[in-house]
């Protein structure tokens, strides 16, 4: 004797299964990419900290960061077939983070005429702080976007937590005197710890 199947109930069951999926289950290489990104952040922060101590010219900072992440993007596109462009039918989370992050440079250009009055350390602290805040906002937006992909809440909270961490750190760097000197070290160390913790959460079944 066959039983009638309720299509609506079946769809609800499928939705619940999808809701339970993690980032690593849906995108197998995502945790590995997270670690790669943390390595780039650590390297960029270490080099920038040395540049800060040496009072290097301002143009060296974007050279270092864009160089590292340009190389990282090539690795991601070739190894994981990942693209940072806008999605065709679904939103691209990486593209969202990138757009918000690049917004920090538009903000910096807007205040650029006033930056020289701050002095070298204060100017760098403001620049790093603003970039960290905008990157954090990008993470918060991306965490919400993952709801559209039915990613489980625990994994979305990884992005939310990283977003809050970056916003708080970005606010602290210009306002705490010691971070005017050690801001890049604090940024790099904080991100590496966050990425390692995120990896453990994302790979936990």
């Amino acid at each position: 004797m066959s039983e009638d199947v309720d299509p609506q109930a079946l769809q609800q069951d499928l939705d619940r299964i999808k809701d339970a999926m993690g980032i690593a289950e849906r995108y197998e290489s995502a945790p590995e990419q997270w670690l790669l990104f943390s390595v780039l952040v650590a390297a960029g922060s270490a080099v920038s900290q040395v540049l800060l101590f040496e009072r290097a010219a301002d143009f060296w900072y974007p050279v270092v960061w864009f160089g590292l992440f340009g190389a990282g993007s090539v690795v991601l596109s070739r190894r994981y077939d990942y693209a940072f462009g806008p999605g065709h039918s679904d939103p691209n989370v990486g593209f969202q983070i990138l757009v918000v992050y690049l917004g920090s440079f538009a903000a910096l250009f807007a205040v650029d005429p006033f930056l020289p009055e701050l002095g070298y350390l204060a100017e760098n602290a403001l620049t790093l702080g603003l970039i960290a805040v905008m990157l954090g906002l990008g993470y918060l937006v991306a965490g919400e976007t993952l709801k559209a992909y039915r990613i489980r809440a625990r994994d979305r909270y990884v992005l939310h937590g990283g977003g809050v961490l970056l916003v708080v750190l970005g606010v602290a760097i210009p306002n705490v005197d010691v971070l005017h000197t050690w801001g890049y070290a604090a940024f790099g160390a904080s991100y590496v710890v966050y990425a390692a913790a995120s990896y453990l959460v994302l790979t936990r079944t």
Side-chain angles (χ1 to χ4, degrees):
M1 180 177 177
S2 62
E3 296 181 358
D4 293 334
V5 177
D6 184 349
Q8 185 176 0
L10 180 60
Q11 184 60 50
Q12 289 175 347
D13 289 339
L14 290 173
D15 289 343
R16 280 194 293 269
I17 293 172
K18 289 179 180 179
D19 283 339
M21 292 186 71
I23 291 176
E25 294 167 316
R26 184 159 295 185
Y27 311 104
E28 186 176 351
S29 63
E32 186 178 343
Q33 294 177 36
W34 217 295
L35 290 182
L36 172 62
F37 190 73
S38 72
V39 170
L40 295 176
V41 170
S45 298
V47 174
S48 296
Q49 190 66 63
V50 172
L51 292 175
L52 189 74
F53 288 149
E54 297 296 326
R55 299 294 197 273
D58 291 339
F59 73 86
W60 282 112
Y61 296 93
V63 166
V64 169
W65 287 97
F66 283 120
L68 282 171
F69 282 98
S73 297
V74 172
V75 171
L76 287 175
S77 63
R78 292 188 176 181
R79 180 177 175 83
Y80 304 108
D81 193 27
Y82 188 86
F84 285 94
H88 296 290
S89 57
D90 297 317
N92 184 336
V93 174
F95 177 71
Q96 288 183 326
I97 295 174
L98 179 64
V99 167
V100 179
Y101 166 72
L102 291 178
S104 62
F105 293 96
L108 286 171
F109 279 124
V111 300
D112 183 67
F114 310 101
L115 292 180
E117 299 178 10
L118 297 176
Y120 187 81
L121 291 179
E123 178 182 345
N124 273 276
L126 176 61
T127 300
L128 178 59
L130 181 57
I131 290 173
V133 167
M134 295 297 286
L135 184 60
L137 293 177
Y139 274 46
L140 291 169
V141 170
E144 283 299 298
T145 300
L146 287 178
K147 289 180 180 179
Y149 292 94
R150 299 189 181 279
I151 297 297
R152 64 187 172 207
R154 187 187 75 195
D155 288 22
R156 298 198 309 269
Y157 293 156
V158 168
L159 280 164
H160 290 154
V164 171
L165 171 66
L166 289 169
V167 169
V168 171
L169 184 61
V171 171
I173 288 173
N175 288 284
V176 178
D177 286 344
V178 68
L179 293 179
H180 288 195
T181 303
W182 293 99
Y184 287 104
F187 176 72
S190 297
Y191 195 90
V192 167
V193 172
Y194 159 69
S198 299
Y199 181 84
L200 295 176
V201 173
L202 296 177
T203 55
R204 194 181 79 191
T205 57

